[in-house]
Amino acid sequence: MDITILGIESSCDDTSAAVLRGTTLLSNVIASQAVHIKYGGVIPELASRAHQQNIIPVVDTALKEAGVTPDKIDAIAFTRGPGLLGSLLVGTSFAKGLSIAHRIPMVEVNHLQGHILSHFIDLPDTEIPHPAFPFLCLLVSGGHTQIVKVSSPLEMEIIGSTIDDAAGEAFDKCAKVMGLPYPGGPVIDRLAKEGDAKAFLFAKPHVKGEFDYSFSGLKTSFLYTLRDKVAEDPDFVEKNKADLCASLQATIIDILLDKLIKASKRTGIKDIAIAGGVSANSGLREAIAEAGRRRGWRTFLPPLKFTTDNAAMIAISGYYRYQTGMLSGLDVSPVARLEDLQK
Ligand code: KG4
Ligand code: ZN
């Protein structure tokens, strides 16, 4: 009988639970928190409270949709970090409660590794191609931007990362100054389709680390352009929204691809995957596919539903860890920062 894993994700503003049998997804329920929209960003205290309200119905629904009762679960995989501490605490505490009540072992999962391993989730009715090891994964989310060399589901080496903002942050912050709603990434993606990507030129960084990124310079350059243009014409943003979005998105994609191409050349690895919320971006997906065609890469673009935060990716990560006996004790506590998680 295949292993059954319940996954729980609560690191930011999505409460999610998923059930996996072997590597096949049986259910994946996500409650996205709308409470943050009017603030233009995630308010941690509100996120924790919403997780508390959502977690029981979300887990309950995931189990019902999968047709699984708690006594059939082999392990509870939960996000230990990185993320918002209060939010992580809700998922971790819930996992502990369920673990004690039903005597189910717990497996902690690194949220970022979860994003990467989302490439190994199988769907009951669709064949999804999986990358072969070792592969490179461009991990682009709201809080992190990394190039990871993945040698096995349990062996990952971060070979490049951002030295300041994440790519998702660049999308979200620039959207905010244009008066667009949170999260800005999907809105910019949509508007960019109607704009001219060459209309504006923004600064590209020169970062020392061969595979490292920086996005704060681009953000500043975007901000200064807006400031100068709005001084001349108060309606500038409104009139040029699509062009601004298209040019910004193209610059972010250029920056991301530049280092990824270098990493592929240097390592000789040609199986290239992307993961994380920004991997939903249609421009980035096209650009990676196109680069792949030109360079002989096999490219792996995750199904859209696995790009942003979800518990299916936590469950698949938990599946691999459980198989090698990597269980967590009841004394496990969540960790907000990636650096502390790796200690
Ligand atoms: O992975 P994720 O759901 O949460 C974190 O772990 O951070 O990523 C969220 C990020 C946000 O910055 C959001 O704006 C961005 O992913 N995002 C996108 C798109 N969809 C989500 N960015 C660009 N284009 C999109 N279509
Ligand atoms: Zn994430």
Side-chain angles (χ1 to χ4, degrees), residues 32 179 254 298 321:
S32 295
D254 267 5
R298 292 203 306 163
R321 293 175 74 86

Side-chain angles (χ1 to χ4, degrees), residues 111 115 141 309:
H111 178 87
H115 271 301
S141 73
D309 291 347

Side-chain angles (χ1 to χ4, degrees), residues 112-162:
L112 301 175
Q113 295 188 357
H115 271 301
I116 294 171
L117 293 176
S118 65
H119 281 282
F120 296 92
I121 301 167
D122 288 313
L123 295 175
D125 46 6
T126 335
E127 187 105 347
I128 301 178
H130 305 315
F133 300 108
F135 67 93
L136 292 181
C137 186
L138 173 67
L139 173 63
V140 270
S141 73
H144 295 86
T145 300
Q146 301 172 342
I147 298 175
V148 183
K149 181 182 167 192
V150 188
S151 300
S152 81
L154 301 172
E155 288 165 276
M156 303 191 195
E157 186 194 349
I158 302 167
I159 62 170
S161 58
T162 178

Side-chain angles (χ1 to χ4, degrees), residues 5-17:
I5 305 277
L6 168 69
I8 295 175
E9 156 63 29
S10 72
S11 67
C12 190
D13 58 344
D14 295 298
T15 319
S16 180

Side-chain angles (χ1 to χ4, degrees), residues 52-72:
Q52 268 183 329
Q53 286 176 346
N54 293 343
I55 193 133
I56 291 176
V58 164
V59 171
D60 204 40
T61 309
L63 290 174
K64 284 203 179 102
E65 279 184 13
V68 164
T69 48
D71 58 304
K72 295 286 184 302

Side-chain angles (χ1 to χ4, degrees), residues 156-210:
M156 303 191 195
E157 186 194 349
I158 302 167
I159 62 170
S161 58
T162 178
I163 57 169
D164 42 54
D165 289 356
E169 237 172 317
F171 274 108
D172 295 340
K173 288 180 176 168
C174 292
K176 195 168 183 173
V177 298
M178 286 188 281
L180 300 176
Y182 178 87
V187 186
I188 291 182
D189 190 353
R190 204 180 58 238
L191 289 169
K193 294 197 171 91
E194 278 126 51
D196 173 7
K198 295 199 169 73
F200 298 98
L201 261 186
F202 302 116
K204 286 196 195 148
H206 297 278
V207 187
K208 261 214 200 114
E210 198 181 357

Side-chain angles (χ1 to χ4, degrees), residues 65-288:
E65 279 184 13
V68 164
T69 48
D71 58 304
K72 295 286 184 302
I73 299 169
D74 293 295
I76 307 165
F78 66 98
T79 306
R80 184 177 177 212
L84 301 170
L85 198 58
S87 294
L88 291 164
L89 258 172
V90 177
T92 308
S93 309
F94 183 86
K96 284 183 190 178
L98 200 64
S99 162
I100 295 169
H102 294 278
R103 297 172 182 270
I104 311 168
M106 290 195 298
V107 183
E108 66 189 69
V109 170
N110 172 334
H111 178 87
L112 301 175
Q113 295 188 357
H115 271 301
I116 294 171
L117 293 176
S118 65
H119 281 282
F120 296 92
I121 301 167
D122 288 313
L123 295 175
D125 46 6
T126 335
E127 187 105 347
I128 301 178
H130 305 315
F133 300 108
F135 67 93
L136 292 181
C137 186
L138 173 67
L139 173 63
V140 270
S141 73
H144 295 86
T145 300
Q146 301 172 342
I147 298 175
V148 183
K149 181 182 167 192
V150 188
S151 300
S152 81
L154 301 172
E155 288 165 276
M156 303 191 195
E157 186 194 349
I158 302 167
I159 62 170
S161 58
T162 178
I163 57 169
D164 42 54
D165 289 356
E169 237 172 317
F171 274 108
D172 295 340
K173 288 180 176 168
C174 292
K176 195 168 183 173
V177 298
M178 286 188 281
L180 300 176
Y182 178 87
V187 186
I188 291 182
D189 190 353
R190 204 180 58 238
L191 289 169
K193 294 197 171 91
E194 278 126 51
D196 173 7
K198 295 199 169 73
F200 298 98
L201 261 186
F202 302 116
K204 286 196 195 148
H206 297 278
V207 187
K208 261 214 200 114
E210 198 181 357
F211 312 131
D212 287 339
Y213 289 111
S214 163
F215 287 98
S216 78
L218 167 62
K219 184 184 64 189
T220 311
S221 144
F222 187 82
L223 204 66
Y224 282 2
T225 302
L226 248 58
R227 186 197 58 184
D228 296 347
K229 301 279 189 188
V230 169
E232 292 163 16
D233 174 6
D235 297 328
F236 171 78
V237 175
E238 203 45 53
K239 288 179 194 156
N240 296 279
K241 224 170 234 175
D243 285 351
L244 284 167
C245 288
S247 304
L248 173 71
Q249 180 172 298
T251 313
I252 294 176
I253 293 170
D254 267 5
I255 296 172
L256 287 172
L257 269 165
D258 177 47
K259 294 295 175 93
L260 185 61
I261 291 167
K262 284 198 175 102
S264 168
K265 276 189 188 153
R266 175 58 60 101
T267 58
I269 296 173
K270 292 188 166 210
D271 265 21
I272 309 287
I274 54 174
V278 180
S279 71
N281 186 268
S282 55
L284 177 63
R285 294 171 81 91
E286 277 165 30
I288 295 271

Side-chain angles (χ1 to χ4, degrees), residues 36 42-52 84 86-87:
H36 309 288
V42 177
I43 311 292
E45 178 58 28
L46 295 181
S48 316
R49 290 186 214 175
H51 282 305
Q52 268 183 329
L84 301 170
S87 294

